[in-house]
Each structure stands twice: as structure tokens, then as C-alpha cells.
Amino acid sequence: MAVHYRTCPFCEATCGLEVETQGREVISVRGDEDDVLSRGFLCPKAHGLKQLHEDPDRLTTPLIRRDGELVEAGWDEAFEEIDRRLSPLLAEHGKNSVAVYIGNPNAHNLSALLYGPVWLRALGTQNVYSASTVDQMPKQVSAGLMFGTMLSVPVPDVDRTDHLLILGANPLVSNGSLLTAPDMRGRLRRIRERGGKVVVVDPRRTRTAEAADEHHFIRPGTDALLLAAMVCTLVDEGLVELGPLAGHVNGLDEVLACLTGFTPERAAAACGIEADETRRLARELAAAPSAAVYARIGTCTQEFGTLASWLVDVLNVLTGNLDREGGAMFPLAAAGQKNASGAGGKGRGVRLGRWHSRVRGLAETYGELPVACLAEEIDTPGEGQVRALITVAGNPVISTPHAQRLEDAIEGLDFMLAVDIYVNETTRHADVILPAPEPLEKAHYDLALYQLAVHNVANYSPPVFEGELPAEWETFLRLAGVVAGQGPHADLQALDDLVIATLAGREVATEGSPVAGRDPGELVAELEPRRGPERLLDFMLRTGPYGLTLDELERHPHGVDLGPHKPRLPDLLRTASGKIELAPAEIVADVERLRAVLERERNGAMVLIGRRQLRSNNSWMHNLPALVKGRDRCTLHVHPDDAARLGLEDGGRAEVSSAVGSIEAPVELTDGIMPGVVSIPHGWGHDASGVRMNVAREHAGVNSNLLADETKVDALSGNAVLNGIPVELIPVRAAVSA
Ligand code: SF4
């Protein structure tokens, strides 16, 4: 029996796990009591690690479509097929004829984070899409415009705050999102035990709301109005107090001017929160010794996602709670931190909209286009039409809006390649599928998520099992070779040497870097004999703010505690002014769109929202028996008053129709949802033919994205509107047999 300490790769919480193995068998998965961040906590999803390891549906060999069927093939054969099909398309129609979709699991994948950009650069397409634009992109846009980089997202200092206001997030179930914080139940409980307060604003009375001091229902899509009304209250009552932030802020007067008129009374009609309650929320936020406003997916995947995300940090600034203990703080990660140190708080800021989508003209953000326009880029003929698609660990047919249109569009592609562990609803359309190693066969380090952690830590997990497949980074480099015109048998070691040499060359040329001016060749030699992602990670750790090495992390299998957050202003800022831009011009210009909502007549239509579930994060998890057993969880939550009015019954079925689609779902009555709102969880709908996920098929559920309208996006980020979708509901009567 062997014991391994691993970071769980399944969600943003990065819990430490203790994995017992015998040979290639996983005996047990437990929480690692000594993990520096999670201290033994784990959620039910962690047990999926064993079931994923054992899953007979997981792909272990490439598949190639022959005579309409996906059949097993060798790796050379698969890459030769990719080269044969993809290279002529690139030559004839150009690089933008190939679109790429990057799925959410890439954020947890060291090889994907380090080598994904390599093959994407080699491909050079502007048609890059990802799960970010059905998720957190609005927050990254607002943070970029305010603080200067896409990664400068402040996180609530949950462990020291006195007051936490949560909007559109369910951290008891998610364990944090854009906030890496395992055991949020314990962390929220401790806020209350030390005399603090937790307030939740959400159209659902979530598990987090039940564990809070207060919960307020809010109409989906109106969070920005509530937050603007809270700003107005602070101004009217003389409660704006920037404290030490005062010297670091540009645009205070502009913010206060552009939000004039968003009174609590005017917001109340739209939000469904009484004006007096809004004022009280603002006063309590201002009066708390320390406080943080935290908002997540419900505030992002809506019409005013960027405005809501911006207003969260406007409130954190106006109450003096940004960058202070117990407020909203900026983590300092050991590696991968683009805003770590050096330039004394100045930079170039972010540039958005460097190109636009061909059909609708939606703007690029951080190198990608909104996935809401992927289908039209494929199915609209003309110069620049997308003719091939590469998906990496993604299932956009399930996870992106107007799913049926995207599915139809994908069927018309000239070529599709998928890098994936399953034949899922999207990859079933592929011409070639390249399998990826399971998590236990690869090294793990959360490059992205430690930049959002509630406490600074670093934790590296070596592979538990020797890989039975080629390493993922080798697959990505081989793909880079194909799209760069080197054919299917590129020299991977030479390419990898080029990757580290490029990284080292850039670092020694960076002002303020600890290795500035040194010989990059010498630095690379110091990393011997490491190769691949471990070599890159080692280099990034050595040149990071703590000067760690991978050797050191390997000596600490439970992780290294790098301490609580410290104030980081102005050093972390990368705006051109070197100040917090409280009133970015793009955002201020969008405020008038929000103002128009104050006048909007409510038409009484029902609206649909999603919901996060403890045993689910990505659609692929539905193929793990431990995570889908028990009662049907893909149900339509309806308030009893709405059900009585609409003739719906608990346990019955409803037809739910939107502007773009119609589905049927089982009805579950609950007073935990706001009247006028219904909810279906995302990620379901596994009954399509050709999908090779046999457990998921038994628990198919319905795809809520068949109802999401791809034409509805947040104006500034292009993020899809997945919450607040107008729907009609009618009961489905059981057929009566003759
Ligand atoms: S909370 Fe997330 S990281 Fe922690 S055990 Fe569950 S799935 Fe894994």
C-alpha cells in the first residue's frame, strides 16, 4: 500500500487529498489533514478521482472517424490524419478558418496552462473561444480596467473579515469561485463566531443563504441596480471613506456623478428589495470594522455582468475595504503572477477589442471572442468562415448558449479535432479524438487558482501512476508542430527547449525580475534534468516572489504556507496611471444602459436561472456513479405560488420554452426560489446518440442551454446571459392510454 498526497483537480478549492493505492488500484481517497489550505476538508466530488481512474468509458487510445464511425487508432495515425485534414484548410482558408474551444478543466491543468498558449500561438487564429465567456469574463474585464491586468481580481479576506456581503454565489456548494477557499462552511461559520455578519443576496435561498445571517431575494439580472443604489446611499449619507486608498484612486468624482439617480427607491421596483433594506445593507457595510463584497456567477452571466462586477469593487473602494485586512485583497502567488512586483505600480493597462467577431462584431477580450458567437461564425457563409474546430476538455454543445444551433453548426464543419477523455455530446462529432491522461497520471500545480486563493500557499503533486498515454504537454507540442507546418512528427524535445528558452529570455529582459540581465542559457541549465511542465514550473517558482524551487515543494507534500494576504497597493497595479481607475471610460459609458432598466416595465414573465450543485461542476462528472446516484437532481425548481398559478405539480413535468428553444423537465416545488423565477442546473442533457458515457446516459437530465439565447450578451465582456432568461411554462400532462 502506498500513500500519495494530491491536490484535488476537480474544482477551484484545490483541496489536499490523501490517496491510498495498491499497484494501479486506488484504495481510498480522504482529505489530507495536514494540507496547508484545506486541513482535511474534502467534498463528495473528490471520490470521483477513484471512479474516474476506473471508468471504462474513459478513452485510452485515439479515435479516428472511418466510414462515419469513430474507431480506435494509433497516435502516429491520428496525428497524420490531423495533418492531412487540417493543414490544407489552413493553407487554403487561413488561420482564422480554424476555431478553438478551451473548456473549464484547462484551468486546473498544469500542462494545458503552460503548453496551451504554445500551440495556440502557433495556430494564430483569432477564433479562440472558451468557457470564460459563459462564466467569469465580466469580472476579469472590470478588474483589468480598474487594476490593470486580467488576473488582478481581488478576493474577500474571508478568514479575517467582519462582514461579508455575497451576491450571486453559493460558496458552500462551490467552495469558492474566483476565490479558492476550501471549507467555506467552516470559514463562514467562523465569521459569525467572531461576531461578524454574513449577508447573501440571491434569487435562490441557497445553502450559503441558509447558513448566513440574512438572505435577500433579488430579481435575476438586477444586481448592478442594487449595488448602484448602495453607492448612492453611501454618498447621500456621507459614508464614503476611502482611508489609505485615497492616494491611489482616479475617477472618484466621475463614479459618483455617473451613478446619480440610482436611488434605492428607484432600484427597489426592479430588484424586489425594499429601499430601506438597501440603505441598511449599505450602512452596515460602511460601519463594519472590516468588510468585503463578493459576487460570482449569478452576477456575471447576466445582461449587466461587467457593471455588477465593477460596482462590487467600487463598493469595496468607497468603504475603504479594498486591499486591507478583512476586506477584498490581492493574493500573491508563488508562480504565474503577472502582477507580482517590479514596475512600481505602473503598466500599460489592458487593451480590449483588438479584433472583433466576423458576423456580429463582438469584441475580443484577453485574446478570445465570446463563445455566444461561435455557432454563427461556423454556420454563416462568407470570407473568414470557420471551417474546423478544435476542442480541448470542453463540451460546448452542453455548456454554451443556443446549444442546438451550435450542434447543428458543428455537424457542418469540414474537420473537428477534440482532445478529451470522453466521447461526449460535442466530441461525438469529432473526426479525431486524442485522449488525455487521467489526473492521477500527471503532475498538478494550480498555477491559475493560487492567484485567487484566500490564503497564499503553494502545493505541487507529482503523478501517482506512470502514464499509459503520451504526456499531455507532448500532445500539445505535437499539435503545435502540425499547425506550424512541421508535420505530424515534429521534434518535441527541440520544441520544448524552445519553450523554456523563450520563457527564460523574456524573464531576464523583465525589469525588476530577480534574474534580470542574467544569461538565460545558464538559468535553463540550472533546471536540469527536468523537462516539460515541471521544468517550466520550476523556473516560474524560482523567479517568483518567494524564490521557491520545485525541489522544495516536493519536500513539502502537504504544501507550503506562504502566509495571509498583505496589502499590495500600489505595487500590483498595472494601469497606465499607476492608480486604481475607479471610472474606466468603457464602463461609465455603459451605465446609461443600466439606467434605462429603471424605466423598464416589468411584464410579469417568468425567468430562468441556473444553480450550482455539490456533486457536479463539469458535465463529464455525470459519468461518475458516486456523483449521480440518488434522486434526480436535474429538476426545475418552481415556487409553490407560481406552480399553483401555472398548474404545475411537484413531481410532474413542465414544458419550458424560451425565444430559442423548448425542453421538458421534472418539476420540484420549493419556497427556496423567488416567485417569478425558475431554476435548472447546467451541464445536463446526456441522451444524445453516439455519446459513450454510459453512466451519464442513465442520468441524462436536460440541457438548460437549449433555452439560452446566444444573441443576449453582456455588452462589455460579451459574456453570455444565462441567468434571467424569459421563459414560458406549461404543464405536461401524462398521456392517457385508451
Ligand atoms: S471542494 Fe473541490 S477541490 Fe475540494 S474536494 Fe471538492 S471538488 Fe475537490
Side-chain angles (χ1 to χ4, degrees):
M1 192 95 77
V3 177
H4 312 263
Y5 296 100
R6 296 280 301 170
T7 301
C8 176
F10 288 163
C11 89
E12 293 177 57
T14 75
C15 297
L17 305 179
E18 184 183 287
V19 182
E20 274 185 343
T21 61
Q22 183 118 46
R24 280 191 76 85
E25 189 185 351
V26 176
I27 305 297
S28 67
V29 177
R30 299 193 190 90
D32 174 7
E33 299 288 340
D34 296 318
D35 183 88
V36 291
L37 187 61
S38 58
R39 304 284 175 201
F41 175 84
L42 84 174
C43 86
K45 290 189 288 297
H47 300 290
L49 206 57
K50 172 175 163 62
Q51 295 196 326
L52 181 60
H53 174 68
E54 296 164 353
D55 189 349
D57 291 340
R58 190 165 49 76
L59 297 177
T60 54
T61 179
L63 301 179
I64 297 182
R65 190 170 299 281
R66 299 275 184 231
D67 301 323
E69 289 293 316
L70 284 167
V71 297
E72 292 190 356
W75 283 86
D76 283 347
E77 194 184 354
F79 271 98
E80 283 156 11
E81 179 73 358
I82 296 165
D83 188 43
R84 188 179 73 79
R85 303 283 301 276
L86 199 56
S87 297
L89 282 175
L90 285 166
E92 189 178 344
H93 300 289
K95 54 197 179 183
N96 290 340
S97 67
V98 180
V100 175
Y101 178 81
I102 306 290
N104 165 286
N106 288 279
H108 311 252
N109 182 331
L110 184 62
S111 288
L113 288 169
L114 292 172
Y115 290 87
V118 175
W119 73 265
L120 280 174
R121 250 192 318 274
L123 178 61
T125 180
Q126 292 184 340
N127 276 306
V128 177
Y129 303 84
S130 86
S132 291
T133 50
V134 282
D135 192 343
Q136 84 290 348
M137 188 58 88
K139 188 69 195 178
Q140 292 192 271
V141 168
S142 76
L145 293 171
M146 294 177 82
F147 309 119
T149 80
M150 64 184 284
L151 296 170
S152 38
V153 174
V155 303
D157 189 9
V158 179
D159 295 343
R160 295 181 292 186
T161 197
D162 297 292
H163 187 102
L164 184 58
L165 172 60
I166 301 172
L167 299 99
N170 190 5
L172 247 63
V173 166
S174 68
N175 282 291
S177 180
L178 292 183
L179 167 65
T180 288
D183 189 19
M184 274 298 287
R185 181 177 291 281
R187 291 177 201 272
L188 295 187
R189 189 185 62 239
R190 288 191 285 277
I191 293 176
R192 301 181 69 193
E193 283 171 355
R194 58 180 181 263
K197 185 167 185 178
V198 178
V199 179
V200 172
V201 175
D202 200 291
R204 292 177 55 232
R205 191 172 62 245
T206 59
R207 286 193 192 191
T208 306
E210 280 170 357
D213 294 274
E214 260 178 43
H215 167 234
H216 301 264
F217 281 131
I218 186 169
R219 285 208 182 90
T222 65
D223 304 84
L225 288 174
L226 172 70
L227 296 165
M230 289 176 68
V231 170
C232 284
T233 302
L234 295 180
V235 175
D236 288 349
E237 302 191 5
L239 298 174
V240 173
E241 183 54 70
L242 270 62
L245 293 172
H248 300 303
V249 171
N250 267 349
L252 177 60
D253 291 345
E254 288 92 325
V255 166
L256 303 188
C258 81
L259 293 177
T260 303
F262 286 91
T263 63
E265 281 73 17
R266 297 188 77 196
C271 300
I273 296 179
E274 295 295 331
D276 286 349
E277 287 296 282
T278 301
R279 286 202 179 83
R280 186 174 60 77
L281 290 175
R283 286 180 198 132
E284 290 184 3
L285 187 74
S290 68
V293 186
Y294 165 67
R296 257 310 275 134
I297 195 155
T299 63
C300 285
T301 49
Q302 53 152 289
E303 197 181 353
F304 299 104
T306 304
L307 286 179
S309 301
W310 164 67
L311 284 161
V312 164
D313 287 325
V314 168
L315 278 171
N316 283 326
V317 169
L318 296 187
T319 54
N321 281 306
L322 189 83
D323 197 45
R324 75 184 270 209
E325 272 187 30
M329 302 196 76
F330 297 95
L332 181 58
Q337 185 85 2
K338 299 235 171 53
N339 54 359
S341 62
K346 278 202 175 187
R348 285 185 298 186
V350 296
R351 284 178 58 215
L352 306 172
R354 291 170 296 171
W355 62 87
H356 292 79
S357 68
R358 175 181 66 104
V359 178
R360 210 186 317 173
L362 293 183
E364 161 270 351
T365 49
Y366 305 123
E368 61 181 278
L369 290 169
V371 73
C373 64
L374 174 57
E376 69 203 27
E377 292 297 323
I378 299 172
D379 69 17
T380 308
E383 183 71 24
Q385 182 180 5
V386 167
R387 293 165 189 275
L389 175 66
I390 302 174
T391 64
V392 182
N395 194 356
V397 162
I398 292 286
S399 56
T400 68
H402 202 170
Q404 189 60 58
R405 180 176 180 183
L406 181 60
E407 175 136 41
D408 294 344
I410 286 175
E411 282 178 2
L413 286 166
D414 291 347
F415 178 68
M416 181 180 162
L417 163 67
V419 180
D420 212 290
I421 57 174
Y422 288 116
V423 181
N424 64 28
E425 291 73 17
T426 302
T427 63
R428 72 187 170 120
H429 297 292
D431 298 290
V432 179
I433 306 180
L434 301 175
E438 58 147 327
L440 294 175
E441 289 180 346
K442 53 193 178 192
H444 187 91
Y445 181 89
D446 277 300
L447 263 187
L449 304 177
Y450 290 147
Q451 304 188 49
L452 300 161
V454 71
H455 187 96
N456 293 317
V457 297
N459 201 339
Y460 168 76
S461 316
V464 169
F465 299 123
E466 201 172 316
E468 294 185 332
L469 295 172
E472 224 166 359
W473 64 276
E474 292 177 330
T475 298
F476 291 139
L477 284 183
R478 207 165 172 185
L479 186 54
V482 171
V483 297
Q486 296 182 10
H489 305 290
D491 182 341
L492 304 187
Q493 298 305 326
L495 284 177
D496 193 34
D497 287 342
L498 188 61
V499 172
I500 185 68
T502 305
L503 180 66
R506 208 167 45 225
E507 188 65 33
V508 299
T510 301
E511 190 188 336
S513 165
V515 294
R518 283 194 57 189
D519 174 2
E522 266 178 29
L523 292 171
V524 172
E526 288 170 13
L527 306 169
E528 290 290 339
R530 296 191 191 276
R531 311 286 302 176
E534 284 91 345
R535 178 163 64 168
L536 296 175
L537 175 62
D538 196 10
F539 182 80
M540 293 167 83
L541 289 166
R542 286 166 188 247
T543 54
Y546 304 94
L548 291 169
T549 65
L550 194 49
D551 283 347
E552 205 168 338
L553 293 194
E554 284 179 313
R555 285 194 293 273
H556 292 86
H558 310 289
V560 176
D561 185 338
L562 300 169
H565 299 327
K566 296 184 181 142
R568 297 193 54 209
L569 287 175
D571 269 6
L572 77 84
L573 296 172
R574 288 293 174 273
T575 53
S577 62
K579 303 220 173 189
I580 297 168
E581 294 296 348
L582 208 56
E586 301 88 330
I587 289 182
V588 170
D590 200 35
V591 169
E592 289 314 302
R593 197 170 56 92
L594 180 66
R595 194 180 298 279
V597 179
L598 290 171
E599 313 301 335
R600 203 184 272 174
E601 287 287 315
R602 288 246 321 131
N603 62 8
M606 300 291 291
V607 292
L608 174 71
I609 61 172
R611 65 179 187 269
R612 179 76 181 255
Q613 297 182 305
L614 182 60
R615 291 170 187 269
S616 176
N617 188 18
N618 302 122
S619 60
W620 65 264
M621 289 185 173
H622 301 158
N623 209 50
L624 306 181
L627 303 188
V628 288
K629 68 181 181 193
R631 65 183 176 83
D632 186 0
R633 284 193 287 277
C634 186
T635 56
L636 175 76
H637 279 185
V638 185
H639 191 277
D641 293 350
D642 290 323
R645 186 169 50 81
L646 297 166
L648 301 172
E649 291 173 2
D650 194 42
R653 295 183 72 78
E655 184 181 308
V656 189
S657 304
S658 73
V660 300
S662 187
I663 60 176
E664 240 185 75
V667 173
E668 186 177 352
L669 299 191
T670 170
D671 65 1
I673 193 157
M674 188 177 192
V677 182
V678 292
S679 163
I680 301 175
H682 76 279
W684 298 86
H686 304 296
D687 50 0
S689 64
V691 173
R692 301 182 190 174
M693 298 173 71
N694 287 308
V695 175
R697 181 182 300 284
E698 296 295 308
H699 306 267
V702 291
N703 180 0
S704 62
N705 275 316
L706 290 165
L707 301 174
D709 183 345
E710 83 280 23
T711 66
K712 305 286 187 238
V713 296
D714 168 42
L716 286 175
S717 65
N719 204 92
V721 174
L722 304 179
N723 280 303
I725 300 168
V727 288
E728 288 182 1
L729 298 120
I730 54 172
V732 176
R733 305 287 175 210
V736 180
S737 51

